[in-house]
Amino acid sequence: QVQLVQSGAEMKKPGASVQVSCKASGYTFTSFGISWVRQAPGQGLEWMGWINAYSGKTNYAQKFQGRASMTTDTSTSTVYMELRSLRSDDTAIYYCARDYSGWGPEDYWGQGSLVTVSS
Amino acid sequence: QSVLTQPPSVSGAPGQRVTMSCTGSRSNIGAGYDVNWYQQLPGAVPKLLINANSNRPSGVPDRFSGSKSGASASLAITGLQAEDEAAYYCQSFDRSLSGVVFGGGTKLTVL
């Protein structure tokens, strides 16, 4: 069965960086892409970007261009998302989700990784 | 402010039918891009409910249906059940933004 397992919760100070990992199993990793979606406390879903798990080609939401980086490691079927220059409003649950094309839909989701940014 | 507009809340009694809307523009839904819907139960991970405007993934009850017309889409739930109480999000692709966009979400309350 398709599974996306994410890394654990992180607590960071403003200005720091965070890296969240997403390990895929149960399907051919290189045949699909991975999207990252975040959800601030009590708020809605926000798409951050997408990476082609095979080629590493990325498409970032304009809001995150220059501050987010997504990478893929085909040897471990793992995708990474790094967010730099963290601010308090980056506090959110970060989800990875499988997305074939980068246009949606996200058909399988990871369990989420809580990132808390606080001084 | 979300690119796709959803009503903040809807409600209905058990057994009733409810609908919720998702309004976009000529750069997303109106441009012909598919609409997908997600259900997020309280404290849970979002789940794909409807893809490609009206298709139900395996395991989704046929009480849930989706439709699209012009620059808008709708999600309908018939035979409302207490377990349907959740937030529902629509999603599409926006060609001006060159990325995926979500609606702000609709909170469904089962009375």
Side-chain angles (χ1 to χ4, degrees):
Chain A
Q1 72 283 20
V2 175
Q3 277 195 308
L4 299 174
V5 179
Q6 299 183 222
S7 49
E10 301 263 13
M11 183 162 290
K12 296 291 183 181
K13 294 192 182 303
S17 299
V18 68
Q19 184 182 67
V20 181
S21 66
C22 173
K23 184 173 176 60
S25 62
Y27 70 97
T28 302
F29 177 71
T30 51
S31 294
F32 291 81
I34 294 287
S35 285
W36 289 89
V37 177
R38 76 177 187 179
Q39 186 170 37
Q43 302 301 308
L45 303 175
E46 181 177 31
W47 182 80
M48 299 180 66
W50 175 86
I51 182 168
N52 180 309
Y54 172 70
S55 68
K57 174 186 173 183
T58 53
N59 181 28
Y60 298 109
Q62 291 177 3
K63 177 177 179 178
F64 297 101
Q65 284 179 359
R67 204 162 68 94
S69 295
M70 298 172 191
T71 55
T72 179
D73 183 345
T74 56
S75 68
T76 60
S77 299
T78 303
V79 168
Y80 299 90
M81 188 282 297
E82 181 187 41
L83 189 62
R84 299 177 290 277
S85 301
L86 290 169
R87 307 182 288 255
S88 59
D89 62 358
D90 290 317
T91 294
I93 298 174
Y94 289 75
Y95 294 102
C96 64
R98 194 179 77 165
D99 180 341
Y100 176 75
S101 64
W103 293 26
E106 278 69 27
D107 57 359
Y108 290 91
W109 294 63
Q111 83 276 20
S113 300
L114 175 62
V115 175
T116 303
V117 183
S118 174
S119 56
Chain B
Q1 193 165 348
S2 303
V3 172
L4 304 180
T5 301
Q6 298 183 250
S9 63
V10 297
S11 62
Q16 283 190 333
R17 177 180 186 270
V18 295
T19 63
M20 56 190 78
S21 61
C22 174
T23 303
S25 69
R26 287 179 293 179
S27 68
N28 41 68
I29 301 174
Y33 294 104
D34 285 341
V35 177
N36 309 302
W37 291 88
Y38 299 85
Q39 177 193 59
Q40 187 175 31
L41 297 171
V45 176
K47 169 192 168 184
L48 179 63
L49 195 66
I50 297 286
N51 65 61
N53 308 313
S54 58
N55 182 63
R56 280 186 309 276
S58 174
V60 174
D62 60 6
R63 301 186 296 106
F64 296 90
S65 63
S67 63
K68 172 187 162 183
S69 177
S72 296
S74 290
L75 174 70
I77 310 172
T78 58
L80 203 58
Q81 300 179 3
E83 67 203 49
D84 299 332
E85 191 160 285
Y88 293 84
Y89 296 91
C90 62
Q91 177 205 49
S92 188
F93 187 86
D94 190 285
R95 65 183 176 190
S96 296
L97 297 174
S98 296
V100 169
V101 290
F102 283 97
T106 296
K107 173 72 168 68
L108 169 63
T109 300
V110 180
L111 302 170

